[in-house]
């Protein structure tokens, strides 16, 4: 199937897609320029968000020195919770409201960047956090308008949060992950300095790196934008479905991840540093792609996998903070999910498998899903990830609760290339219990 065939407009279907691209700078030394960037955005007093681990790295000093040299009054908030919760969002928002800030800088992984987004939102347009949260867990109140300037500086090659309009958190009382989505949450500028990946533990590189891959594969295999009903101008959803623009970033991110992820985790020499730098760029490409096209089943399933388990301690993460890291909660479902979705667009799954490094010589599209799943499992084994949901503590008896949490994520499931029922989700969870 060619792209022309994949994107053939359906009767009454959408024929237009939009690309709300984010401003971004990338390269070694980019963090040292943040002061000038913040000043150019009119920031005079900024809240610098980070977590307690990143606060100990040289990257924080680089940022503070740069902001100081630009004459910007800076207050550090280093209490960000890894895998944030509704309570941690509220605490961060209180800090932001009381500080009299006119801009934000975030330095960290997706948890830090998402917390800064939420704090910016709630300081600019105060309300209960659930007012803005996606339905059915929140009221899905639209963000009223632009927020204060926010410069996002990622330190992990994973979430792509630096260029998306999404902030994800753990809604503790409902035992589910959910989020806030709006174009206004997109940071004003993503400042991506790949040197920040050099101090990451292998376990963190693995978890965040697989988030890159699943972002890219999900956006590439999402329903085509032409399959949606035609929208009125200005009312197209943030997640529009796969489109020719998102395809470019998705496929390149898949290719780069296939080439560099395993070495970025297991390597010990200069080539491993190079691979980590490449993976950082892949994360930004994948973030731009999925922020435009959307993600689907693996991410929908991940919300309950992470939300229902607060006892697992992942490799490379603190024992004092047990959790299932986001990237792990996504990829652990991915092979089973892509086997399920492959029948809807087998050619795309075969393309993704080839980009990821699978041997597709003489393979027919009908084998695309299996080849893609097998290559993902091979990479999971090579990076010492768990063998499936059973290894992180789940069993057959947990499937109803897992399905309940994931089926509520209709905003994501709607982007899948085929309909997904509760029974389908149960089957995918069952297939993800053990891969090897």
């Amino acid at each position: 199937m060619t792209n022309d065939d994949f994107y053939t407009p359906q009767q009454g279907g959408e024929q237009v897609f939009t690309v709300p691209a984010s401003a971004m700078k990338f390269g070694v030394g980019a963090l040292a320029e943040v002061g000038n960037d913040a000043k150019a955005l009119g920031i005079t007093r900024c809240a610098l968000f980070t977590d307690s681990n990143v606060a100990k790295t040289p990257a924080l000093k680089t940022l503070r020195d740069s902001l100081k040299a630009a004459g910007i009054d800076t207050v550090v908030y280093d209490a960000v919770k890894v895998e944030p919760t509704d309570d941690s969002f509220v605490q961060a928002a209180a800090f932001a409201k009381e500080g009299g800030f006119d801009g934000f800088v975030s330095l960290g992984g997706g948890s830090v960047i998402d917390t800064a987004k939420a704090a910016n939102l709630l300081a600019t347009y105060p309300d209960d956090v659930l007012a803005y949260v996606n339905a059915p867990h929140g009221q899905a109140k639209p963000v009223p308008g632009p927020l204060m300037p926010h410069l996002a500086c990622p330190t992990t090659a994973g979430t792509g949060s630096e260029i998306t309009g999404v902030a994800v958190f753990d809604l503790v009382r409902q035992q589910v992950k959910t989020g806030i989505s709006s174009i206004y949450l997109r940071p004003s500028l993503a400042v991506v300095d790949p040197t920040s990946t050099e101090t990451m533990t292998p376990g963190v590189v693995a978890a965040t790196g697989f988030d890159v891959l699943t972002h890219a594969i999900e956006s590439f295999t999402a329903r085509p934008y032409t399959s949606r009903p035609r929208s009125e101008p200005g009312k197209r959803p943030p997640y529009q479905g796969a489109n020719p623009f998102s395809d470019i970033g998705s496929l390149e991110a898949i290719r780069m991840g296939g080439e560099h992820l395993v070495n970025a985790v297991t390597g010990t020499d200069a080539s491993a540093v190079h691979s980590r730098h490449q993976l950082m760029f892949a994360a930004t490409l994948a973030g731009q792609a999925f922020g435009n096209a959307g993600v689907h089943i693996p991410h929908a399933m991940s919300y309950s996998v992470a939300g229902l388990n607060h006892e697992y301690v992942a490799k490379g993460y603190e024992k004092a903070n047990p959790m299932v890291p986001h990237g792990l909660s996504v990829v652990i479902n991915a092979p089973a999910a892509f086997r399920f979705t492959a029948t809807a667009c087998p050619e795309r799954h075969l393309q993704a498998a080839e980009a990821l490094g699978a041997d597709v010589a003489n393979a027919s599209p009908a084998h695309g899903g299996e080849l893609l799943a097998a290559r993902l499992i091979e990479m999971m084994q090579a990076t010492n990830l768990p063998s499936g949901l059973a290894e992180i503590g789940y069993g057959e008896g947990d499937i109803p609760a897992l399905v309940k949490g994931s089926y509520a994520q209709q905003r994501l499931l709607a982007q899948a290339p085929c309909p997904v029922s509760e029974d389908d989700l149960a089957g995918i969870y069952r297939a993800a219990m053990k891969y090897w």
Side-chain angles (χ1 to χ4, degrees):
M1 179 185 292
T2 66
N3 276 349
D4 288 343
D5 295 329
F6 188 67
Y7 293 123
T8 298
Q10 300 181 12
Q11 184 67 34
E14 184 60 271
Q15 299 186 59
V16 176
F17 65 90
T18 60
V19 183
S22 301
M24 184 268 287
K25 65 162 54 178
F26 180 96
V28 173
L31 282 181
E33 300 180 5
V34 167
N36 289 332
D37 298 327
K39 188 173 183 179
L41 288 170
I43 298 175
T44 60
R45 177 173 166 80
C46 93
L48 174 50
F49 277 68
T50 191
D51 64 47
S52 58
N53 290 319
V54 177
K56 300 170 187 173
T57 67
L60 183 68
K61 184 178 186 305
T62 298
L63 267 189
R64 295 193 72 172
D65 288 349
S66 181
L67 291 164
K68 181 178 179 180
I72 296 171
D73 184 21
T74 303
V75 181
V76 175
Y77 182 83
D78 62 3
V80 170
K81 179 178 174 60
V82 177
E83 302 297 335
T85 66
D86 46 335
D87 287 340
S88 72
F89 269 12
V90 169
Q91 292 166 10
F95 166 82
K97 291 175 187 175
E98 295 166 4
F101 304 110
D102 57 12
F104 293 77
V105 175
S106 54
L107 176 71
S111 296
V112 171
I113 297 171
D114 286 359
T115 299
K117 291 176 182 178
N120 191 357
L121 168 60
L122 295 171
T124 307
Y125 304 106
D127 208 329
D128 183 87
V129 65
L130 288 180
Y132 296 110
V133 170
N134 303 322
H137 304 294
Q139 301 165 31
K141 174 182 174 180
V143 175
L147 308 183
M148 287 179 270
H150 174 195
L151 290 86
C153 310
T155 59
T156 62
T159 68
S161 182
E162 66 273 10
I163 52 174
T164 70
V166 181
V168 175
F169 68 98
D170 190 350
L171 188 54
V172 176
R173 284 171 286 279
Q174 296 186 33
Q175 291 189 302
V176 69
K177 276 190 177 288
T178 184
I180 305 170
S181 301
S182 171
I183 58 171
Y184 295 120
L185 288 182
R186 287 177 180 268
S188 312
L189 177 66
V191 182
V192 187
D193 190 328
T195 58
S196 61
T197 63
E198 295 171 12
T199 58
M200 291 165 59
T201 65
V204 174
V205 175
T208 56
F210 276 107
D211 196 21
V212 174
L213 286 184
T214 51
H215 280 154
I217 299 170
E218 287 175 66
S219 59
F220 187 68
T221 58
R223 63 185 290 189
Y225 77 99
T226 50
S227 69
R228 289 189 301 100
R230 193 168 301 174
S231 300
E232 295 180 29
K235 294 187 178 180
R236 293 185 177 89
Y239 285 177
Q240 300 168 73
N243 58 76
F245 176 84
S246 66
D247 286 350
I248 297 169
S250 296
L251 270 180
E252 182 60 12
I254 296 168
R255 186 197 66 76
M256 294 176 75
E259 180 179 350
H260 293 288
L261 175 54
V262 172
N263 189 54
V265 175
T266 63
T268 57
D269 56 10
S271 71
V273 172
H274 173 71
S275 287
R276 290 187 177 203
H277 287 203
Q278 294 298 302
L279 201 58
M280 189 68 136
F281 188 57
T284 302
L285 286 175
Q288 183 66 73
F290 93 80
N292 174 247
V295 290
H296 52 84
I297 295 175
H299 269 77
M301 294 176 70
S302 78
Y303 280 22
S304 51
V305 169
L308 292 171
N309 188 330
H310 297 281
E311 298 179 358
Y312 180 75
V313 178
K315 294 180 177 66
Y317 289 80
E318 293 181 85
K319 292 183 179 179
N321 186 28
M323 60 173 179
V324 182
H326 175 66
L328 175 56
S329 72
V330 173
V331 76
I332 207 162
N333 308 299
F338 292 134
R339 285 175 175 141
F340 172 79
T341 56
T343 56
C345 47
E347 296 87 355
R348 292 224 143 199
H349 287 69
L350 186 63
Q351 281 182 273
E354 182 177 25
L356 196 57
D359 181 2
V360 301
N362 303 315
S364 72
H367 297 112
E370 183 54 45
L371 288 168
L372 177 57
R375 174 60 177 150
L376 275 172
I377 291 169
E378 178 186 18
M379 294 176 67
M380 291 166 68
Q381 288 181 289
T383 52
N384 203 25
L385 259 61
S387 60
L389 290 170
E391 191 172 330
I392 66 173
Y394 287 107
E396 179 71 23
D398 298 306
I399 289 178
L402 289 166
V403 169
K404 181 180 178 181
S406 58
Y407 195 67
Q409 307 300 326
Q410 289 297 314
R411 182 180 64 92
L412 305 185
L413 293 177
Q415 303 308 314
C418 55
V420 191
S421 69
E422 291 179 272
D423 286 344
D424 293 330
L425 288 169
I428 299 169
Y429 277 123
R430 195 168 288 113
M433 282 294 168
K434 188 172 179 60
Y435 293 118
W436 67 86

